[in-house]
Amino acid sequence: MNNPLFSADAVSLRGIPDWIDRLAWEDPNHSLYVVRGLDPAEVIGIVGGEQVRTLAPGELPEDTADEWSGVVPHALEAAGGGDLLRVAGRRGDWTFVYDTFGGMDGELAKTLSKGGRAAAYVVNSISGISRVDCAEDGSGVYELDDSYDPDYDQENVPELLRNAIDAAMAVDLEDPDWDLGVNMRIVCALAGLTWTYEEFRQHPLTIARYDE
């Protein structure tokens, strides 16, 4: 099945998926796991974190309190706040865990994929690092240690990622040279997470806190 395309309002001017751009801090340093075949509680148990709150559809704020804090700490104000937070949810067969501080390890994609599953990890750091790790059935099948470039990175792309890459590259950006979100779009498209922030916040979500 083809991966769903991003609508024009599902991607920010920086090329970042809208729901992630709205969750992120102003200068994002964040990461994302997606895995097919596990529920959010199981994934949080593997990547680490203490579940502190479940948000009902529509409970996540429509916007941030200010441009620097991000909506997740704002949503957790009543639960004691905190910066090291993960947001988990599900769409179809795929579960995602988004880390607002980029504190996850790409090697865990292999662990998540054991037992015939598929998983992927992406990180974008404030220092400019962007990486993708993709795994199937416990083994790594693709690594990318920079932003995806179709002129150099098409070789050895596994079947699992081909449609997702097509969906990520189909986005029409005003300035393609200032594309900060291509790797995030690839991993989001793999799991069907091509929604707007408003669509995203209409799903039940689990918030977890963790220590460095």
Side-chain angles (χ1 to χ4, degrees):
M1 183 177 71
N2 289 338
N3 297 83
L5 297 177
F6 291 90
S7 63
D9 57 353
V11 178
S12 75
L13 294 177
R14 301 185 292 179
I16 301 171
D18 178 61
W19 69 276
I20 287 179
D21 197 49
R22 298 281 294 278
L23 288 177
W25 293 45
E26 180 67 16
D27 292 322
N29 189 86
H30 51 183
S31 54
L32 174 72
Y33 275 116
V34 298
V35 57
R36 184 170 56 199
L38 290 176
D39 65 36
E42 290 176 300
V43 180
I44 289 173
I46 293 172
V47 304
E50 174 193 0
Q51 296 185 42
V52 293
R53 189 171 175 188
T54 299
L55 301 182
E59 190 175 355
L60 196 67
E62 294 182 10
D63 212 337
T64 59
D66 60 76
E67 64 178 337
W68 298 106
S69 66
V71 295
V72 179
H74 181 41
L76 271 183
E77 183 177 354
D83 293 334
L84 301 180
L85 302 170
R86 290 172 177 160
V87 185
R90 193 162 192 168
R91 190 169 201 185
D93 294 335
W94 288 87
T95 287
F96 65 88
V97 177
Y98 171 77
D99 191 315
T100 59
F101 202 68
M104 296 194 288
D105 180 3
E107 282 294 307
L108 284 177
K110 297 175 184 177
T111 302
L112 290 168
S113 72
K114 288 180 178 179
R117 293 185 292 270
Y121 163 83
V122 56
V123 60
N124 282 348
S125 77
I126 196 171
S127 61
I129 295 172
S130 186
R131 179 178 177 85
V132 173
D133 291 274
C134 186
E136 292 184 273
D137 198 19
S139 298
V141 295
Y142 189 69
E143 294 181 4
L144 184 64
D145 59 5
D146 202 349
S147 294
Y148 179 83
D149 186 331
D151 292 334
Y152 300 100
D153 298 320
Q154 292 193 60
E155 292 186 11
N156 302 317
V157 171
E159 184 67 29
L160 176 69
L161 283 180
R162 288 178 185 171
N163 286 334
I165 288 174
D166 288 344
M169 299 305 295
V171 170
D172 185 16
L173 299 177
E174 288 187 11
D175 185 357
D177 293 330
W178 198 52
D179 185 358
L180 303 182
V182 60
N183 287 353
M184 279 286 183
R185 295 199 307 274
I186 290 171
V187 174
C188 284
L190 174 64
L193 307 178
T194 56
W195 43 26
T196 65
Y197 176 72
E198 183 58 32
E199 292 168 335
F200 163 77
R201 62 183 290 269
Q202 298 306 322
H203 289 72
L205 301 168
T206 299
I207 310 295
R209 184 183 290 115
Y210 68 98
D211 296 322
E212 287 187 291

